Amino acid sequence: MIFVTTGTQVPFDRLVMIMDKFASVTGEEVIIQAFNGKYKVKKAKVVQFISPDEFDEMFQKARLIVAHAGIGTIVTALEKEKPLIVFPRLAKYGEHRNNHQVDTAVKMRQLNYVYVADTEEELFQLLSDANLHPLAKIGRDASRDLIDSVRQFIIGI
C-alpha cells in the first residue's frame, strides 16, 4: 500500500490525480489524505481528515510514503524509517503561496534524505521501483551530523 499525504491547508489536485492514475494503471492500493480538491478520484481511496493515531497506522502499513514537501511529513518519515517520495507544490499552479516547498525538496535532495520527483514521469519512475528504501533516519540512533543538519535546516541556525 502507498500512503499519500498532501497536508490539510489547501487542495493538491495535481498529486491526487497522478496517484489516482498510478492506482488505476497498477492496481496497487493507494490511500490519499487530501483536503477538499476538485478532482474526482476513480481508483484510489481518499480521506480528508485522519486522526494522529490513524496517520501513524497508515505510515506503519505503507510500503512507501508520497507527500508534498511539508517538513512535518519529512521528519516523520525519517523518524519512522519509511521511504519517502517528495512531490513539491508549485506556486505557478496555485498550489501554495510561494515555492518554499521547492526549496525544501532541493535541500532534502542535496542531503540525500528523501527521494524527490519534480514531474509526473519522475514520480511514476520512482513509484515503479520496488527497491526504494529509507535514505536516512533520525531519532535516538541517528548520527549527530544528521540531527544537527535537519535542525539547522528547520530552524535556520
Side-chain angles (χ1 to χ4, degrees):
M1 181 264 284
I2 297 173
F3 179 50
V4 181
T5 180
T6 67
T8 57
Q9 294 181 7
V10 292
F12 194 7
D13 282 348
R14 186 167 57 102
L15 178 56
V16 172
M17 182 180 66
I18 292 168
M19 294 308 301
D20 189 41
K21 181 177 176 183
F22 180 81
S24 295
V25 169
T26 65
E28 183 165 5
E29 180 181 19
V30 175
I31 300 175
I32 306 170
Q33 173 276 314
F35 184 75
N36 293 332
K38 293 179 182 170
Y39 175 77
K40 300 298 179 205
V41 174
K42 297 167 186 70
K43 178 69 176 169
K45 177 182 177 186
V46 175
V47 292
Q48 286 192 26
F49 176 81
I50 55 177
S51 71
D53 288 341
E54 291 170 311
F55 187 87
D56 286 345
E57 184 179 325
M58 294 290 187
F59 242 84
Q60 288 305 106
K61 283 184 179 178
R63 77 165 178 91
L64 176 64
I65 310 298
V66 177
H68 67 135
I71 200 68
T73 303
I74 293 169
V75 169
T76 300
L78 292 170
E79 287 175 338
K80 296 185 181 297
E81 298 182 51
K82 284 291 184 171
L84 171 64
I85 301 172
V86 168
F87 191 77
R89 294 171 177 269
L90 300 177
K92 72 180 181 180
Y93 297 130
E95 296 166 347
H96 224 303
R97 296 174 298 281
N98 57 42
N99 279 330
H100 73 276
Q101 287 203 353
V102 174
D103 297 335
T104 299
V106 166
K107 187 64 174 181
M108 293 294 111
R109 178 185 277 145
Q110 287 172 348
L111 294 170
N112 198 36
Y113 288 175
V114 300
Y115 302 93
V116 177
D118 296 310
T119 66
E120 179 177 346
E121 294 76 22
E122 289 175 4
L123 183 53
F124 258 74
Q125 184 176 14
L126 285 168
L127 289 166
S128 299
D129 185 345
N131 296 314
L132 292 185
H133 58 280
L135 295 175
K137 68 177 183 173
I138 60 174
R140 291 185 198 142
D141 300 319
S143 73
R144 177 56 41 205
D145 289 343
L146 176 58
I147 293 169
D148 289 345
S149 65
V150 170
R151 180 178 290 119
Q152 182 178 15
F153 178 74
I154 292 171
I155 61 176
I157 293 178

